[in-house]
Amino acid sequence: MHRRSTPLIDPVAAEPLIRDADDGDTAAIVALNAAEVRHTSPMDADRLRQLASLSAYHRVATLDGRVVAFLLAMRAGADYRNDNFAWFAAYHPDFLYVDRIVVDAAAQGHRLGSRLYADLFAFAREQGIPRITCEFNVVPPNEPSRLFHARHGFVETGRQWLDEGRKQVSMQVAELT
């Protein structure tokens, strides 16, 4: 029997909605993160709750009521123990650090990452935060992330090795004017 492959999301009918994440989104966010863990870091429900409690920005994008993307960011001064966050704190007095942004592969074509970043940049401006920071892998390479961040005005301000020399990240900053 032959079955037609149909997308999980109709790219024409669906209109994305960006909203604050809530407890009901936990399972979807953890599943999205697990699908892209090679580009981010592991996160179970308890870790998500911990990160959310430290975050200044935690929003999701939905299509047809289904969570298909999320962005989690911490503000300078947060009690967040993370090598990349600490690196930015050593160089910048005020920033908003993108801990992770993940978009479901089945939802590509809706520019959800760009929509979340536009929302994040607007939030930062409203809060008087002068810059957005993030990092992405250069070893092993994450070329889609490099291109995405370049399109959004990020520039490299340094690099650092992590995981006992198994991973190198590019430290990125987008100055808000």
Side-chain angles (χ1 to χ4, degrees):
M1 178 160 115
H2 177 71
R3 292 185 181 190
R4 283 186 353 166
S5 174
T6 57
L8 296 175
I9 298 163
D10 179 351
V12 176
E15 182 59 35
L17 169 70
I18 295 175
R19 62 170 174 76
D20 289 336
D22 62 39
D23 289 339
D25 301 325
T26 299
I29 291 169
V30 168
L32 285 170
N33 192 82
E36 293 297 325
V37 75
R38 71 188 179 282
H39 297 301
T40 183
S41 58
M43 181 176 68
D44 61 13
D46 288 337
R47 179 68 173 154
L48 173 59
R49 283 188 278 281
Q50 178 188 34
L51 293 175
S53 74
L54 298 171
S55 71
Y57 179 101
H58 184 206
R59 304 200 82 192
V60 297
T62 65
L63 287 171
D64 293 333
R66 188 170 75 90
V67 174
V68 293
F70 73 95
L71 194 157
L72 189 60
M74 282 48 162
R75 184 155 189 187
D79 188 23
Y80 181 41
R81 309 234 187 289
N82 173 282
D83 291 339
N84 297 320
F85 184 81
W87 190 95
F88 288 115
Y91 292 98
H92 302 287
D94 198 9
F95 59 90
L96 192 57
Y97 170 71
V98 177
D99 180 70
R100 60 193 78 209
I101 178 172
V102 177
V103 177
D104 188 332
Q108 290 186 6
H110 289 277
R111 302 189 65 232
L112 295 173
S114 292
R115 288 173 189 238
L116 281 166
Y117 263 29
D119 189 67
L120 177 72
F121 278 48
F123 170 83
R125 285 184 181 100
E126 289 169 6
Q127 299 297 311
I129 302 169
R131 68 192 50 84
I132 308 290
T133 64
C134 70
E135 84 286 333
F136 55 79
N137 293 352
V138 290
V139 177
N142 185 343
E143 185 65 7
S145 187
R146 185 190 70 76
L147 294 170
F148 173 80
H149 286 92
R151 280 193 312 271
H152 290 88
F154 285 85
V155 296
E156 184 174 274
T157 59
R159 290 186 178 194
Q160 77 171 346
W161 286 96
L162 302 169
D163 297 338
E164 299 174 354
R166 290 188 300 270
K167 177 166 75 168
Q168 186 182 42
V169 293
S170 172
M171 310 306 280
Q172 298 279 312
V173 174
E175 298 287 345
L176 304 180
T177 55

